[in-house]
Amino acid sequence: MFGRREDRLTAQDITFDWRKLYDLVRNIVVPKIWQDNPIQQRFFPQSAAMEVFEELLPQIQFNSMDRQILTVQLLTLFVPTARPPKGVELVTSGPQSTDPQRWLPTIFSLWSFNLRTSVFDAYLMNLVTTLVLEQRGQLKLTNEQLRFVFASGLHFFNLPVSRGAATLPRNISMQLRDSSGVYRMQAGAGLPLKEERAHSFARFIVYTMHDESSGGTLELFEQLVQMIEPFYHPSNNGAWSGLLARFLRHLAKELLQRSRAEAAEDCEVPVDARLSRSVRRRLVVLVRTLAMLLLFSKGEDSVSMSHSTLKHLAELEPDLIFRPLLDTLYTAIDSVTETHRMISAMRALAKLATTLSTFAHYPEGAQHIAPLLTLTLPGIDVNDPTKSYFALSFIHNLCHNGVVFDELLASGDMPEVRSISKESAEDMDVSEPPELDMNQIE
C-alpha cells in the first residue's frame, strides 16, 4: 500500500476516524492550515458525511462572520468527498448515506447566504471542486448550481465592470459584483491564495464539462469568455492581468491532464461521462482565443503563461494551435520595428519547439523547421543576449527532441511550407478531427 502514489490511495486502502481529528484541530484552526492542509477528506468514510453536518451546521451563527468562516473551514476539511469503492453500492438515504446529492443542496444554500463574500466563495468553491473530481464524472450538477459557481468564480478576478453592463449575459451578470471590499480578514489571513482560487475554478470548469447541452458548463464558459476577453487584450493591462493569465494556464493544464487520464486503460470514469473529442476541441478553441491575445502582453508573467497555455493545448490538438500560431509568429519574427513582438515570438518558439518537432504527433511540423531556422538564426547576435538566448533555446530544444537537420534538409521530398492565413485557421473543421493517440503525448 505505501509503495503506491499518494494520489492513487483511496478510502479502500486507508480510513481515518474523522471525529478524533476534528477534536484535535477544531480549536487550533489557523490560516496556515489551508496551505499546509494535512487532512485528506477522501480518507474519511463516506458514511460520515451526515455526522459531520450534524456536528457543524448548528455552530453557524449568521450574526458572527468570524464564526461562520471557522465553520466553513472545518466543513471543507472534514466533509468526505470520495466515491464509495468499486462494488460498494451507493446509500441514498438514512443517517449513513454515502450519496453527495443528499447534502450538496445544503452547501449551496449555505453559500447563497454569503453570495458576495469572497471568503465563502473561496472555501466552498474548493469543496465543490474537490467533490466533482473525487466523484469521477458521476456527480451531475443542475444548471442553476453551475451558474451559481460561475458567478462566484467571476468574483475572484475583481474585474472593473459595471453590474448592469449590457454586454454581460443576464444569468451571470445579475450576480456579479466587485468583491475586493468585502474581505473580513487581512489579505492572506486564512484565505486560499489567489493562485489556488484560480486553479480551483479552472478545475471545476474542466471536470464538469461533459456534453454540449443547453445551459451546461460549455455554454456558460462560452459566455464567460465573451465577458473577460477584453481584459486579455495587450492594451488593457491591469491588476487582474496576472490572475487571468494563470487561470488560463490552469485551464489548459487541467484539460490536458483530464484527457490523458481518460485515455488510460485503467480509467474509472464511465464512458458516457468522459470528455468527447468535439467538446474538447471547442474548449481548446475558446482557450486559444484568449491565449493568443496574451501572446504580446505588456506583462512578462502574462506572456510566459500564454506560452505554457499554448503548449498544453498543442499537445492536445496541434492542428488547432499551430496553424494560427505560426501565422502570427512568422510575421512577428520577421518584424524589425516591433522588437517586443519579435522577442515574444522567439520565446514562444523555444517553448513549443518540442511539440512542434514531435512529427508523430504533428506531421506538418516538419514543413516548418527549415523556414523557422532561417528566421531565427540571424537572432544569434553577440550584441543582443536576450534574442540570442531564445534563438539558441529553440535550436537546443529541436536537437534535444531528436531532430536531425542534415536528414531533414537533404531529404529532397520535404514539402514547401503551406501558406497559413487567419481565415483558413478559423474555417478549420472542429467537429470531425483526425484521431490522436494520447499515449504518444509526453
Side-chain angles (χ1 to χ4, degrees):
M1 180 187 73
F2 295 105
R4 298 175 61 186
R5 286 180 54 187
E6 186 271 347
D7 60 355
R8 296 287 187 178
L9 293 177
T10 67
Q12 199 170 14
D13 301 311
I14 184 172
T15 302
F16 298 140
D17 184 349
W18 78 273
R19 175 72 65 175
K20 293 181 180 180
L21 288 171
Y22 170 74
D23 292 338
L24 179 65
V25 304
R26 61 177 175 176
N27 294 321
I28 59 172
V29 174
V30 294
K32 195 174 178 61
I33 201 171
W34 182 275
Q35 282 82 20
D36 301 331
N37 178 10
I39 301 174
Q40 296 289 339
Q41 61 262 55
R42 70 173 181 269
F43 296 132
F44 297 143
Q46 293 79 17
S47 58
M50 303 310 296
E51 296 179 15
V52 174
F53 279 99
E54 290 175 1
E55 175 70 28
L56 293 177
L57 288 182
Q59 300 181 25
I60 294 179
Q61 300 175 12
F62 289 102
N63 61 347
S64 173
M65 176 61 71
D66 292 338
R67 189 64 188 177
Q68 288 187 60
I69 294 173
L70 174 61
T71 304
V72 169
Q73 282 180 313
L74 291 171
L75 275 174
T76 59
L77 293 176
F78 288 99
V79 173
T81 56
R83 191 165 184 82
K86 187 179 296 184
V88 178
E89 293 186 4
L90 202 66
V91 180
T92 58
S93 61
Q96 301 295 315
S97 174
T98 58
D99 186 3
Q101 296 286 8
R102 175 89 180 276
W103 50 264
L104 189 58
T106 302
I107 293 295
F108 279 95
S109 296
L110 178 62
W111 201 345
S112 65
F113 284 122
N114 298 275
L115 177 63
R116 295 181 176 89
T117 306
S118 295
V119 180
F120 279 75
D121 285 346
Y123 287 127
L124 295 179
M125 171 76 77
N126 183 274
L127 175 59
V128 172
T129 300
T130 301
L131 179 65
V132 168
L133 265 66
E134 294 291 337
Q135 293 297 308
R136 301 184 182 90
Q138 300 183 57
L139 177 70
K140 302 297 183 182
L141 275 65
T142 66
N143 290 348
E144 290 74 17
Q145 290 171 339
L146 290 172
R147 286 197 298 271
F148 189 96
V149 175
F150 267 79
S152 298
L154 200 54
H155 293 171
F156 295 160
F157 303 129
N158 285 330
L159 301 177
V161 294
S162 170
R163 185 180 180 184
T167 58
L168 303 184
R170 180 179 178 83
N171 56 0
I172 295 181
S173 64
M174 63 185 296
Q175 302 184 60
L176 175 61
R177 174 186 171 189
D178 183 357
S179 57
S180 59
V182 298
Y183 280 94
R184 307 305 175 94
M185 299 181 174
Q186 295 180 354
L191 292 175
L193 300 174
K194 288 185 178 181
E195 177 81 11
E196 295 297 327
R197 285 181 276 158
H199 191 191
S200 182
F201 187 33
R203 295 175 82 186
F204 177 85
I205 292 173
V206 170
Y207 284 92
T208 56
M209 196 168 294
H210 303 294
D211 51 39
E212 303 176 72
S213 60
S214 176
T217 300
L218 182 59
E219 181 177 302
L220 289 174
F221 184 65
E222 289 175 340
Q223 296 176 3
L224 181 68
V225 169
Q226 293 177 8
M227 284 189 288
I228 65 178
E229 183 175 354
F231 297 96
Y232 281 90
H233 196 277
S235 63
N236 195 2
N237 194 55
W240 56 83
S241 300
L243 184 58
L244 287 175
R246 290 191 292 273
F247 168 68
L248 208 61
R249 183 194 63 178
H250 288 312
L251 275 172
K253 185 176 180 180
E254 292 296 332
L255 180 60
L256 177 60
Q257 290 179 346
R258 179 182 176 182
S259 299
R260 286 174 171 173
E262 294 183 354
E265 295 182 358
D266 59 346
C267 178
E268 298 181 5
V269 179
V271 176
D272 59 348
R274 298 179 186 180
L275 193 65
S276 68
R277 187 77 187 284
S278 60
V279 171
R280 188 176 75 191
R281 287 174 69 87
R282 285 183 61 182
L283 181 57
V284 167
V285 170
L286 289 170
V287 177
R288 179 194 70 185
T289 301
L290 303 180
M292 293 292 289
L293 290 174
L294 282 181
L295 198 59
F296 304 112
S297 175
K298 297 178 181 178
E300 292 296 320
D301 182 61
S302 297
V303 172
S304 178
M305 294 297 170
S306 72
H307 297 162
S308 297
T309 300
L310 291 169
K311 185 177 189 301
H312 293 320
L313 297 179
E315 291 176 356
L316 276 173
E317 302 291 346
D319 60 311
L320 291 180
I321 301 302
F322 281 121
R323 291 188 182 185
L325 177 62
L326 290 173
D327 180 67
T328 301
L329 296 185
Y330 277 128
T331 303
I333 294 176
D334 201 30
S335 173
V336 295
T337 59
E338 298 177 281
T339 306
H340 171 68
R341 290 174 61 89
M342 179 181 64
I343 295 296
S344 179
M346 295 183 70
R347 288 179 61 184
L349 279 179
K351 184 73 174 182
L352 279 82
T354 302
T355 308
L356 177 66
S357 59
T358 304
F359 303 138
H361 179 56
Y362 184 56
E364 292 184 17
Q367 305 176 25
H368 299 280
I369 300 300
L372 288 173
L373 283 172
T374 302
L375 291 174
T376 55
L377 284 175
I380 302 176
D381 184 355
V382 69
N383 296 315
D384 193 338
T386 301
K387 187 166 58 175
S388 300
Y389 173 80
F390 291 118
L392 292 172
S393 295
F394 173 62
I395 298 171
H396 168 269
N397 290 337
L398 291 178
C399 297
H400 189 267
N401 205 39
V403 176
V404 181
F405 299 108
D406 289 342
E407 294 181 3
L408 188 67
L409 299 175
S411 59
D413 57 353
M414 178 175 156
E416 296 181 357
V417 178
R418 182 171 53 187
S419 175
I420 305 173
S421 64
K422 295 181 180 178
E423 291 75 13
S424 64
E426 293 174 353
D427 293 339
M428 290 174 58
D429 184 11
V430 174
S431 58
E432 297 182 2
E435 290 298 327
L436 290 178
D437 183 1
M438 294 302 300
N439 295 324
Q440 292 181 351
I441 305 176
E442 300 180 354

